[in-house]
Amino acid sequence: MAIGVSYVGSWTNYNILAEEKCFGGTGPCFASTRGYWQIYPAFTKANVSVTQRITSAVSGFVSITNLTNNEDYEFLNSVPIMGRVTVAGIQLRY
């Protein structure tokens, strides 16, 4: 079994969606790009994987990334968020 945790502190980056709303005429516009700066909150994401040997040549595994399905932005709010991803499989040794 393996468990991993990633922590990212808060950071400042552009709010691309607000800027695009300005361009589309559906949101307020600012005199400079600094008006689109946004403080993104800190977040933590956990991963876990389990491997079970079935025979000397066959093992099964399950790996889960973003275990808690945390949907906080990791870079910009215009980049899709990857939710929980589960992968299961069999490993063969020959």
Side-chain angles (χ1 to χ4, degrees):
M1 174 184 261
I3 298 172
V5 177
S6 298
Y7 170 79
V8 176
S10 64
W11 72 97
T12 302
N13 208 341
Y14 288 101
N15 182 339
I16 299 295
L17 297 179
E19 191 172 34
E20 289 182 2
K21 286 180 182 181
C22 166
F23 296 152
T26 60
C29 294
F30 299 97
S32 74
T33 57
R34 187 177 177 122
Y36 299 102
W37 285 8
Q38 176 176 332
I39 297 173
Y40 290 88
F43 64 87
T44 302
K45 294 192 179 185
N47 305 315
V48 66
S49 64
V50 177
T51 302
Q52 177 65 49
R53 178 176 274 181
I54 300 167
T55 70
S56 62
V58 178
S59 297
F61 68 90
V62 175
S63 177
I64 304 171
T65 57
N66 195 2
L67 182 64
T68 59
N69 200 30
N70 184 328
E71 294 186 343
D72 288 333
Y73 292 108
E74 295 181 11
F75 182 61
L76 292 170
N77 63 356
S78 62
V79 177
I81 300 167
M82 184 64 70
R84 182 182 308 115
V85 176
T86 304
V87 176
I90 295 176
Q91 183 179 35
L92 303 173
R93 286 185 274 311
Y94 55 92

